[in-house]
Amino acid sequence: MSQIELIEAPTTLSESLQNVVESHRVDAALHWLDNHPPHVIADELARMDAVEAGVAFRLLDKDLALAVFEELEPVDQQQILQGLRDQTFRELVEGMAPDDRARMLREAPAKVAKKVLAGLSPRDRRMTAALLGYPEGSVGRYMSPEVVAIPGTLSVADALRIVRVKGENAETVYTLPVVDSGRRLQGIVELRELVLTGPDTMVADLVVTEPAFVRATDSAEKAARLMRETNDINLPVVDSEDRLVGLLTIDDAVEVIEAADSEDVAKQAGSAPWEGHYMAAGVFQLARYRALWLMLLLVAATLTVSVTGFFETTLEQAAQLALFIPLLIGAGGNAGAQAATACVRAVAVGEVRGGDLFKVIWRECRVGLVLGGMLSVVGLVIGGLFVGPKVAVVVGITLVLICAWAATIGGTMPLLAKRLRIDPAVVSAPMVTTLVDATGLIIYFTTAKLVLGI
Amino acid sequence: MSQIELIEAPTTLSESLQNVVESHRVDAALHWLDNHPPHVIADELARMDAVEAGVAFRLLDKDLALAVFEELEPVDQQQILQGLRDQTFRELVEGMAPDDRARMLREAPAKVAKKVLAGLSPRDRRMTAALLGYPEGSVGRYMSPEVVAIPGTLSVADALRIVRVKGENAETVYTLPVVDSGRRLQGIVELRELVLTGPDTMVADLVVTEPAFVRATDSAEKAARLMRETNDINLPVVDSEDRLVGLLTIDDAVEVIEAADSEDVAKQAGSAPWEGHYMAAGVFQLARYRALWLMLLLVAATLTVSVTGFFETTLEQAAQLALFIPLLIGAGGNAGAQAATACVRAVAVGEVRGGDLFKVIWRECRVGLVLGGMLSVVGLVIGGLFVGPKVAVVVGITLVLICAWAATIGGTMPLLAKRLRIDPAVVSAPMVTTLVDATGLIIYFTTAKLVLGI
């Protein structure tokens, strides 16, 4: 009965659907659908191709269909919508929360979007259009516009009456923004406070003045991270004149943070950010998301060919140097990637700020020297095993220098990127690695020339 | 007034503290502290060294001190505690929520832990000890034990009366578990439902039976991801006999997910997971977290030296082959890292399961072939620019093979790790890269021998 177990082994919807297709027997599929919660059904649908998912979806009864639909990612929602008859289509779209609807429409092809908007009541259409009017990535795109706001002049009993009347349509009633007659935000009061206090208390005595809040045009990621810091479950959103326009709820905030983190991880591995389900994506789709960066990095790697070419005579005079090329640039790349990842993360969560640039350089340079010193001991041993002591010394010295250099570059690039208003995650580990590869080779061959006297 | 702006430029606490130390003037520091919210103050404290943070902390008045203290990470909390006098120490520790206290104690040195436990009331001590009794990383460590549970036989009015009486001590009253006479979980009811319905309705009519729930010994990360899927703000936690023991609240769940994700990111970059504040960590501390992996990877890279050594005669006969070593192993490493990152993520969020192994192999192999085919065109051009057509052809063919091989390895390793019950993130991008480096060289030199006929 534990939900967690259900997630582990729900591999039979697809099989039970075979019965529907092959022998028109729906009972196995219906039984499966009846016995799994909406998010597990949604997860199964996301793994299926469009046709199969469409068949399964049409087996759901109305309420469950909506619950499952809301659990799906926007891309999967569109796929389902395209296969539905008009009546079901309209019911689904009407049942969605305004912010979820806006998010789906944002990415839908124009044809679907038009059909969705046409199926809405004038009120819903207005609300959805308003959300879509906010810039991409802004809080306005993610907030819930249906909010129960209360005047600060009421008693608790009157405030609870307003909550009862208006609460049904609101996504949350746990955070109640307090507004003045011009709907300007004055503070917030928690439903908890209203319930725990006597009915005659005045709302004004319970209100938190100067609450954390954001503007609808602010970055959604910043707003979400602010909520994480303040541990609020809802954050009031105001327009440019401080009038309340919505609430950012914690589930949407977490989604924003997770999307931003996944994007950072993808970029740091040199892929374009990717929102779909891994198992549902086609081979060419996956390749497309990786191709651009891989190509750019390959072109950038031409530098390493030039550098090695430039030192060709050095290499001819001491052919054994070639043996350690992969090991040395590998070590440099790893040291650089460690530093880059640590700093991208620190910048993203706000631990490191623009003004810390020189502190970070100094810090990573010393960390790199410490690590390089340790590695050089191992390097000397490995060098001693494979080649003579002279080349081993070259390897040892190079490791110290390459680690210090790589950590400094890796730690600095994300901050420099931030200063130049480039996304720090784009200056990703593979980019640092490729840069360090080329410069590392210069360090290696120069050290070799000096030590070996060639 | 916007909180977001405050986060951007709060760089004067440290400066204003200089006044305290040098001329015993505290007004600048007090003014700064008065005008910033607790999470911003906590962020500043985390960036300071222990002495400075201690001075600043003692300037806070009692209520603000607790609010700031709760925003700090466990490591920083311990640092602050060590510098406090007994009275303040006891007040702080008593004021913390039981789950936060348990989390701090988990990592505290024995001396601090003993002192903290000694300062608690018997009831608090019992509760804290109970939380500490659950295994590391389990839900029990993160849940809030103080829960308002209600019997399903009551009317809404009576249920609200219980909430009023018992709600003050509970961390949340928004999700109310419904229990039978043996405290076994029967369902949940949302405070929202109680408030929006008439007082004479029975709780039994509002209760959600078969709610999502977890056991206290279940993995906290799994529980947190379950909450994300179900969009609940609180998740009931039961013991092995289905008796209610606590609630996992959304803020703790998000913290668990973020910690797990940060850990994955760190491991994928070949670092040990690291919880402290980047700017507050010492150089040797940072180095220690990175040293082990860097060392292991260096030793693993010895393989590349052996492989290159094995093909030394090939390399002597066609010295130009050395020029492309960094480029080719770089491309393979990048393709492998992309696949590894995508699959680690897909495994972590549950998109890919153990049974998908062969699907993933087949999928990544084809993605790699497509990408390799594209790169080989560029490779042929680069090869043509620097060396003759024959070596260029070797480079082109190698790129196709190396990309297909790297993507397959990169995509498969996380799943294989999961099957072997190793953390997929440990089979990280740099580990895949190092493996692909060595095997890629074999592919390169073998292709060269065949094409060049040497």
Side-chain angles (χ1 to χ4, degrees):
Chain A
M1 185 186 164
S2 162
Q3 302 286 341
I4 278 191
E5 282 163 34
L6 288 182
I7 292 181
E8 293 283 306
T11 44
T12 50
L13 176 58
S14 196
E15 285 159 35
S16 66
L17 280 176
Q18 295 302 321
N19 287 327
V20 181
V21 179
E22 285 161 17
S23 51
H24 297 275
R25 290 192 52 217
V26 295
D27 34 326
L30 285 178
H31 179 79
W32 194 97
L33 292 169
D34 275 347
N35 284 285
H36 289 84
H39 71 271
V40 174
I41 300 177
D43 195 39
E44 281 299 304
L45 291 181
R47 295 167 63 89
M48 296 178 166
D49 63 40
V51 177
E52 216 181 17
V55 172
F57 192 80
R58 264 168 284 176
L59 292 175
L60 298 168
D61 70 45
K62 214 170 100 181
D63 290 341
L64 187 55
L66 180 58
V68 169
F69 191 73
E70 290 197 314
E71 297 283 348
L72 290 170
E73 296 286 321
V75 270
D76 300 318
Q77 287 177 334
Q78 287 161 38
Q79 214 171 50
I80 295 282
L81 276 183
Q82 280 166 355
L84 293 180
R85 258 172 268 129
D86 286 356
Q87 171 67 11
T88 332
F89 183 99
R90 200 168 320 120
E91 278 166 9
L92 265 189
V93 165
E94 270 170 13
M96 293 178 80
D99 55 329
D100 292 338
R101 191 160 48 214
R103 207 157 327 140
M104 183 191 76
L105 283 177
R106 190 182 56 181
E107 289 161 30
K111 216 180 92 192
V112 178
K114 210 171 143 191
K115 193 170 161 200
V116 168
L117 284 172
L120 294 173
S121 71
R123 181 168 170 276
D124 273 347
R125 200 180 311 145
R126 225 173 18 244
M127 207 146 53
T128 305
L131 291 181
L132 282 172
Y134 291 108
E136 182 98 5
S138 69
V139 179
R141 287 288 181 99
Y142 293 88
M143 70 187 182
S144 305
E146 291 173 300
V147 182
V148 181
I150 49 177
T153 50
L154 300 182
S155 70
V156 164
D158 289 334
L160 281 174
R161 218 161 287 140
I162 293 188
V163 173
R164 252 174 237 120
V165 174
K166 297 196 180 164
E168 206 59 65
N169 284 321
E171 193 170 321
T172 180
V173 293
Y174 293 147
T175 305
L176 304 162
V178 175
V179 294
D180 67 8
S181 57
R183 216 181 155 78
R184 280 184 295 268
L185 183 68
Q186 304 290 301
I188 54 164
V189 63
E190 283 232 41
L191 182 64
R192 172 192 180 124
E193 301 298 326
L194 297 187
V195 169
L196 296 186
T197 332
D200 299 329
T201 316
M202 297 303 292
V203 168
D205 296 333
L206 302 172
V207 71
V208 178
T209 52
E210 300 193 30
F213 70 91
V214 287
R215 290 193 199 287
T217 48
D218 284 343
S219 136
E221 188 184 344
K222 265 193 184 172
R225 296 212 188 270
L226 175 64
M227 280 180 82
R228 285 288 307 123
E229 297 216 40
T230 59
N231 279 333
D232 290 323
I233 55 171
N234 299 291
L235 186 67
V237 183
V238 300
D239 65 14
S240 57
E241 280 148 37
D242 290 339
R243 280 179 310 225
L244 181 74
V245 290
L247 275 179
L248 182 63
T249 57
I250 182 77
D251 55 324
D252 291 325
V254 174
E255 210 175 297
V256 167
I257 291 180
E258 285 186 348
D261 286 350
S262 296
E263 210 181 297
D264 279 2
V265 170
K267 284 185 196 155
Q268 279 174 65
S271 301
W274 154 252
E275 283 181 10
H277 192 295
Y278 176 82
M279 290 305 286
V283 166
F284 283 95
Q285 216 172 355
L286 286 178
R288 208 175 55 221
Y289 275 86
R290 301 181 189 169
L292 179 66
W293 267 105
L294 216 51
M295 204 67 101
L296 286 178
L297 291 170
L298 185 72
V299 173
T302 312
L303 255 182
T304 64
V305 184
S306 313
V307 170
T308 317
F310 183 81
F311 288 101
E312 210 166 0
T313 47
T314 315
L315 206 49
E316 273 163 18
Q317 287 172 285
Q320 290 181 321
L321 290 176
L323 299 190
F324 296 94
I325 291 176
L327 178 135
L328 289 171
I329 63 177
N334 289 332
Q338 284 183 335
T341 309
C343 288
V344 166
R345 180 77 194 160
V347 168
V349 300
E351 287 179 3
V352 167
R353 303 168 188 148
D356 293 328
L357 181 60
F358 292 104
K359 283 188 206 159
V360 170
I361 292 180
W362 175 226
R363 175 166 272 260
E364 286 295 342
C365 175
R366 284 176 300 159
V367 173
L369 278 174
V370 171
L371 290 171
M374 294 164 63
L375 292 193
S376 75
V377 177
V378 181
L380 281 172
V381 174
I382 296 176
L385 290 174
F386 284 90
V387 293
K390 275 204 162 175
V391 173
V393 169
V394 173
V395 170
I397 295 175
T398 304
L399 276 171
V400 180
L401 298 176
I402 241 175
C403 282
W405 169 245
T408 310
I409 293 293
T412 316
M413 292 278 278
L415 261 177
L416 273 181
K418 197 183 148 80
R419 284 212 170 176
L420 299 172
R421 294 176 184 276
I422 302 169
D423 180 350
V426 167
V427 191
S428 53
M431 195 146 167
V432 168
T433 307
T434 305
L435 186 63
V436 168
D437 279 358
T439 47
L441 287 169
I442 299 179
I443 294 177
Y444 181 37
F445 289 124
T446 310
T447 308
K449 284 179 85 159
L450 292 174
V451 173
L452 304 179
I454 48 182
Chain B
M1 185 184 165
S2 162
Q3 301 287 341
I4 277 190
E5 283 160 33
L6 287 182
I7 292 180
E8 293 284 306
T11 43
T12 51
L13 177 58
S14 196
E15 286 158 35
S16 65
L17 280 176
Q18 294 303 321
N19 287 328
V20 181
V21 180
E22 286 163 16
S23 49
H24 297 276
R25 291 192 49 216
V26 296
D27 33 326
L30 285 178
H31 179 78
W32 194 95
L33 292 169
D34 276 347
N35 283 285
H36 289 84
H39 71 271
V40 173
I41 300 176
D43 196 39
E44 282 298 303
L45 291 181
R47 296 166 63 90
M48 296 176 166
D49 63 39
V51 178
E52 214 181 19
V55 172
F57 192 79
R58 265 168 283 174
L59 292 176
L60 298 168
D61 70 44
K62 215 171 102 180
D63 291 340
L64 187 56
L66 180 58
V68 169
F69 192 73
E70 289 197 314
E71 297 283 347
L72 289 170
E73 297 287 320
V75 271
D76 299 318
Q77 287 177 334
Q78 288 160 37
Q79 217 172 47
I80 295 282
L81 276 183
Q82 280 166 354
L84 292 181
R85 258 170 269 128
D86 286 357
Q87 171 68 12
T88 333
F89 183 99
R90 200 170 317 122
E91 278 167 7
L92 264 189
V93 165
E94 270 170 13
M96 293 179 79
D99 55 329
D100 292 337
R101 190 160 50 217
R103 208 157 325 140
M104 184 191 75
L105 283 176
R106 187 183 61 182
E107 289 160 30
K111 216 182 88 191
V112 178
K114 210 171 146 193
K115 192 171 161 199
V116 168
L117 283 171
L120 293 174
S121 71
R123 179 168 172 276
D124 273 346
R125 198 180 313 145
R126 230 177 11 249
M127 206 148 52
T128 305
L131 292 181
L132 282 172
Y134 292 108
E136 182 99 4
S138 70
V139 179
R141 287 287 181 98
Y142 293 89
M143 69 186 183
S144 305
E146 291 173 301
V147 182
V148 181
I150 50 178
T153 51
L154 299 183
S155 68
V156 164
D158 289 334
L160 282 175
R161 217 161 286 140
I162 293 188
V163 172
R164 252 175 237 120
V165 174
K166 298 198 180 163
E168 208 59 65
N169 283 323
E171 192 171 321
T172 180
V173 292
Y174 294 147
T175 305
L176 304 161
V178 175
V179 294
D180 67 9
S181 57
R183 215 180 156 78
R184 278 184 296 269
L185 182 69
Q186 303 291 302
I188 54 163
V189 63
E190 282 232 42
L191 182 65
R192 172 194 179 121
E193 301 296 325
L194 297 187
V195 169
L196 295 186
T197 331
D200 299 329
T201 316
M202 298 304 291
V203 168
D205 297 332
L206 301 174
V207 71
V208 178
T209 52
E210 301 194 26
F213 70 92
V214 287
R215 288 190 201 290
T217 48
D218 284 342
S219 138
E221 188 185 342
K222 263 192 185 174
R225 294 209 190 272
L226 175 64
M227 279 181 83
R228 285 287 307 124
E229 298 217 38
T230 59
N231 279 333
D232 291 323
I233 55 171
N234 298 291
L235 186 68
V237 183
V238 300
D239 65 12
S240 58
E241 279 148 36
D242 290 338
R243 281 179 310 224
L244 181 73
V245 290
L247 275 180
L248 181 62
T249 56
I250 182 76
D251 55 324
D252 291 327
V254 173
E255 209 174 297
V256 168
I257 291 181
E258 285 184 349
D261 286 348
S262 296
E263 208 180 298
D264 279 2
V265 170
K267 284 185 194 154
Q268 280 173 63
S271 302
W274 155 254
E275 283 181 13
H277 193 295
Y278 176 83
M279 292 304 288
V283 166
F284 284 95
Q285 216 173 356
L286 286 177
R288 207 174 59 224
Y289 276 86
R290 301 180 189 171
L292 179 66
W293 267 106
L294 214 51
M295 204 66 104
L296 286 178
L297 291 170
L298 184 71
V299 172
T302 312
L303 255 182
T304 63
V305 184
S306 313
V307 171
T308 318
F310 184 80
F311 287 101
E312 211 167 358
T313 48
T314 315
L315 205 49
E316 273 163 18
Q317 287 174 282
Q320 292 183 320
L321 290 176
L323 299 189
F324 297 93
I325 291 177
L327 177 135
L328 290 171
I329 63 178
N334 289 332
Q338 284 183 335
T341 310
C343 288
V344 166
R345 179 78 193 162
V347 168
V349 299
E351 287 180 2
V352 166
R353 303 168 189 148
D356 294 327
L357 180 60
F358 291 104
K359 283 187 207 160
V360 170
I361 293 181
W362 175 226
R363 176 166 272 260
E364 285 295 341
C365 176
R366 285 177 298 159
V367 173
L369 278 175
V370 171
L371 290 171
M374 293 164 61
L375 291 193
S376 75
V377 178
V378 181
L380 280 172
V381 174
I382 297 175
L385 289 175
F386 285 89
V387 293
K390 272 203 165 175
V391 174
V393 168
V394 174
V395 171
I397 296 175
T398 305
L399 275 171
V400 179
L401 298 175
I402 240 176
C403 282
W405 170 245
T408 309
I409 294 293
T412 316
M413 291 277 276
L415 260 177
L416 273 181
K418 196 183 149 82
R419 283 213 170 174
L420 300 171
R421 295 178 183 276
I422 303 169
D423 180 349
V426 168
V427 192
S428 54
M431 195 146 169
V432 168
T433 307
T434 306
L435 186 64
V436 168
D437 279 358
T439 46
L441 287 169
I442 299 180
I443 294 177
Y444 181 38
F445 290 124
T446 310
T447 309
K449 284 179 86 159
L450 292 175
V451 173
L452 304 180
I454 49 180

